[in-house]
């Protein structure tokens, strides 16, 4: 669960510094790639512009994968 500002370490080439940010806007979380050379994927598709996240999306940053889950535990 994220709130305020959080940093998540990832593995892979060219993953130093901030690679992507997730922010809240227009009623949804928006993923924005900030690194030039690091691959950022959502469901296997390259992210080049801000993208609205949906429940169940798989995010891949470098060699690290995350699942975007909006269910409440």
């Amino acid at each position: 669960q994220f709130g305020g500002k959080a940093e998540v370490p990832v593995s892979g080439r060219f993953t130093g510094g901030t690679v992507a940010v997730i922010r809240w806007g227009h009623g949804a979380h928006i993923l924005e790639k900030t690194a030039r050379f690091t691959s950022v994927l959502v469901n296997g598709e390259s992210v080049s512009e801000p993208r609205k996240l949906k429940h169940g999306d798989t995010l891949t940053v470098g060699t690290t994968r995350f699942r975007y889950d909006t269910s409440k535990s």
Side-chain angles (χ1 to χ4, degrees), residues 3-18:
K5 182 176 179 182
E7 293 184 16
V8 179
V10 297
S11 300
R13 294 182 67 186
F14 307 114
T15 56
T18 302

Side-chain angles (χ1 to χ4, degrees), residues 21-33:
V21 295
I22 298 174
R23 61 182 167 76
W24 183 256
H26 304 288
H29 283 109
I30 308 294
L31 173 71
E32 186 171 353
K33 178 180 174 183

Side-chain angles (χ1 to χ4, degrees), residues 18-51:
T18 302
V19 173
V21 295
I22 298 174
R23 61 182 167 76
W24 183 256
H26 304 288
H29 283 109
I30 308 294
L31 173 71
E32 186 171 353
K33 178 180 174 183
T34 57
R36 186 171 177 188
F37 297 109
T38 304
S39 66
V40 177
L41 309 173
V42 174
N43 302 325
E45 297 178 13
S46 184
V47 174
S48 58
E49 298 195 14
R51 179 169 176 157

